[in-house]
Amino acid sequence: MKAIAALLLLAPLAQAQAQAPIATPAQQAARELQNQATARDHQQMLDQLGITKLRPGPSGDPKSPDSANYDEAKANPYPDWPDPLRLNNGKRVTSAKIWQQQRRPEIIEHFEREVLGRVPKALPAVNWTVEPATQSTVGALPVRIQQLTARVDNRAAPDIDVTFPVTLIKPQKQKRLMPTLIMFGFSPPHFPADLLAAGWAVALVNPTSIQADNGAGLTRGIIGLANKGQPRHPEDWGALRAWAWGASQVLTQLKRDPEIDARRIGIEGVSRYGKAALVAMAFDERFAMVLIGSSGEGGTKPHRRNFGEAVENLTGSGEYHWMAGNFLKYGAAESRDGARTANDLPVDSSELIALCAPRLTFISYGSPDAGDALWLDQQGSYMAAVAAGGVFRLLGARDLGVGNDYRNAQKPAIGVAQTSGQLAWRQHEGGHTDGPNVPYFVEWAERNFATRE
């Protein structure tokens, strides 16, 4: 366990970012089979939806003739976004009761039907085994490391095994109940150190052990187990909701730990896992806080922005598995229901952020100059946060404090934090990571904890 912990937590960041070795012939053959299976699954969903042609997504290569747009003058072709505080019947949401009982369910229904998919109502039970803790160190800090393993009952489809490990790390000496951050992916090594030094616990989860990050895996993992190995239907959940479901199972287990503060368990992720962290926070109101790192399209970036990555990238064969099958309709150039665009979506990212209110929501991005590419649309994500702010205020929380005009909102300079409220924003000087923002996140969360004692 100590050797594993050392590799996971203390390996140099450069090593974590190193390029993968050249694939062997066997690995290349396996990859080709995976690509073929993904293409077949993507096509079967297009067939279900009657889509005969998708619009291609823009290229991330600025030298390509179909390069993504990075001109702000062309970035907002759809100036009117869905209003999170207006009911489907057009009436304004004027109270927390109306939000909770009417508007929030409406928004969730739109996301489940058209964007992210529905989690099956009757999923198999999750059984946990907990190993004894071992002593180790993170830097000079003494810690205890414990391995938790979730096994999903697979008697309905015995050939599909869903087992996902969780590495729980706690500082050895801690007098209070510990706030805890569930972290998606194998994070760079300084992240747990920052949190552990503040007296927090950390739970590391590998999302791909819950659901594979490709279309070929949709008949396996928790989605495949729920469908007994059969392909998805258009309203079935995609990988983002599957990863979020896994985080919720971890949260349920952590709440049983007498050393953990059950009121202060949060979720974190970067890039595609930043999308999943946002989804987990939005749908599961038991999460107290979220750190959303560089999430881009499908996360905090508005679908209605023509800047960087687009809806059409998510509907292509490389990323469609993150979303519900129905989402492919919004990239359709030709289909039995006609062409649709992002502007036909009933919801947008601002409403996904709004579903997190009034809980602690920290949106993190990095610098394009350091590798957090403009493709992610940092400016658009800031606009979405401003557009979500009214829901935070309605529910008695503080937003970014810059008003309601998301159309003209300009994100602050890199390194300038807007962290006075329960909705927070900071774009750091580093690259495609949220590491430089972790100390700011911890200080902000602790300050909010203190005001709510």
Side-chain angles (χ1 to χ4, degrees):
M1 178 65 76
K2 289 183 180 180
I4 294 173
L7 287 172
L8 182 61
L9 300 175
L10 304 177
L13 181 58
Q15 179 180 343
Q17 296 176 331
Q19 292 184 350
I22 297 174
T24 66
Q27 290 171 328
Q28 292 175 345
R31 189 175 301 160
E32 179 58 31
L33 289 173
Q34 177 179 293
N35 291 341
Q36 292 172 6
T38 293
R40 289 193 297 271
D41 185 87
H42 188 240
Q43 185 60 52
Q44 69 83 22
M45 183 57 70
L46 293 174
D47 292 342
Q48 286 190 65
L49 296 168
I51 296 174
T52 53
K53 184 178 180 181
L54 286 171
R55 295 185 301 276
S59 171
D61 181 357
K63 297 179 181 179
S64 172
D66 60 345
S67 174
N69 173 60
Y70 296 110
D71 181 354
E72 277 293 335
K74 303 175 182 177
N76 297 295
Y78 312 117
D80 294 323
W81 298 354
D83 186 346
L85 289 176
R86 192 172 294 278
L87 295 166
N88 289 346
N89 63 14
K91 294 182 178 179
R92 293 288 299 172
V93 177
T94 56
S95 70
K97 181 178 180 180
I98 295 173
W99 166 262
Q100 195 65 32
Q101 295 184 0
Q102 297 182 54
R103 184 56 178 153
R104 180 180 167 85
E106 286 180 351
I107 293 173
I108 286 176
E109 170 61 22
H110 287 317
F111 273 109
E112 290 195 321
R113 188 182 68 241
E114 300 295 319
V115 182
L116 297 165
R118 303 186 191 277
V119 176
K121 292 182 179 179
L123 282 171
V126 178
N127 301 301
W128 289 88
T129 57
V130 180
E131 297 180 8
T134 60
Q135 309 298 312
S136 186
T137 57
V138 173
L141 183 69
V143 299
R144 291 168 289 151
I145 300 178
Q146 197 167 25
Q147 195 69 33
L148 288 59
T149 304
R151 292 182 174 84
V152 184
D153 186 340
N154 68 339
R155 284 176 291 182
D159 62 324
I160 301 176
D161 176 65
V162 182
T163 301
F164 54 96
V166 178
T167 301
L168 178 60
I169 311 166
K170 301 173 181 175
Q172 282 192 18
K173 296 180 180 180
Q174 185 61 23
K175 295 180 180 180
R176 65 169 180 173
L177 292 175
M178 287 176 276
T180 302
L181 196 63
I182 300 168
M183 303 184 76
F184 276 137
F186 293 106
S187 302
H190 57 284
F191 291 15
D194 288 335
L195 292 155
L196 293 163
W200 290 38
V202 176
L204 303 177
V205 184
N206 179 3
T208 59
S209 63
I210 301 164
Q211 182 62 46
D213 188 16
N214 55 69
L218 289 170
T219 55
R220 313 293 295 178
I222 188 60
I223 295 175
L225 179 58
N227 287 341
K228 299 181 176 61
Q230 297 303 305
R232 293 187 302 166
H233 297 291
E235 290 189 20
D236 287 352
W237 50 337
L240 294 182
R241 286 216 74 185
W243 295 335
W245 169 87
S248 290
Q249 305 312 303
V250 178
L251 182 149
T252 297
Q253 177 62 22
L254 293 178
K255 286 170 73 72
R256 301 181 179 121
D257 189 321
E259 294 184 316
I260 286 175
D261 189 338
R263 304 166 302 160
R264 293 167 178 167
I265 299 174
I267 179 68
E268 177 273 349
V270 174
S271 196
R272 64 199 62 192
Y273 302 142
K275 308 181 206 298
L278 172 57
V279 171
M281 179 75 167
F283 281 86
D284 190 339
E285 293 182 278
R286 298 177 303 160
F287 282 108
M289 54 193 161
V290 63
L291 174 56
I292 307 160
S294 300
S295 60
E297 179 70 27
T300 57
K301 178 191 182 298
H303 297 303
R304 285 167 169 77
R305 282 266 293 179
N306 174 29
F307 194 98
E309 191 174 17
V311 162
E312 289 81 2
N313 297 100
L314 292 187
T315 59
S317 61
E319 299 178 358
Y320 79 103
H321 60 279
W322 295 341
M323 319 299 288
N326 269 337
F327 188 78
L328 274 67
K329 296 184 297 185
Y330 301 95
E334 298 174 4
S335 79
R336 64 184 176 218
D337 298 322
R340 298 190 192 183
T341 70
N343 201 41
D344 295 306
L345 280 162
V347 283
D348 215 311
S349 65
S350 52
E351 287 163 297
L352 194 58
I353 299 169
L355 290 177
C356 301
R359 294 162 292 145
L360 302 182
T361 303
F362 191 118
I363 299 172
S364 166
Y365 277 92
S367 167
D369 291 340
D372 206 41
L374 281 173
W375 176 256
L376 300 168
D377 191 12
Q378 294 89 347
Q379 167 61 25
S381 295
Y382 182 76
M383 294 167 66
V386 172
V391 178
F392 281 79
R393 296 194 303 274
L394 178 76
L395 300 180
R398 296 188 303 278
D399 63 352
L400 298 179
V402 296
N404 301 317
D405 187 6
Y406 67 87
R407 297 174 186 84
N408 295 308
Q410 294 296 316
K411 68 178 181 62
I414 291 174
V416 175
Q418 291 181 337
T419 55
S420 63
Q422 285 71 56
L423 176 61
W425 167 277
R426 188 175 185 273
Q427 186 178 2
H428 61 74
E429 301 83 352
H432 195 53
T433 169
D434 59 7
N437 271 342
V438 169
Y440 294 88
F441 170 79
V442 172
E443 187 277 331
W444 165 78
E446 290 282 3
R447 179 162 24 94
N448 277 280
F449 296 160
T451 62
R452 296 183 178 188
E453 289 291 355

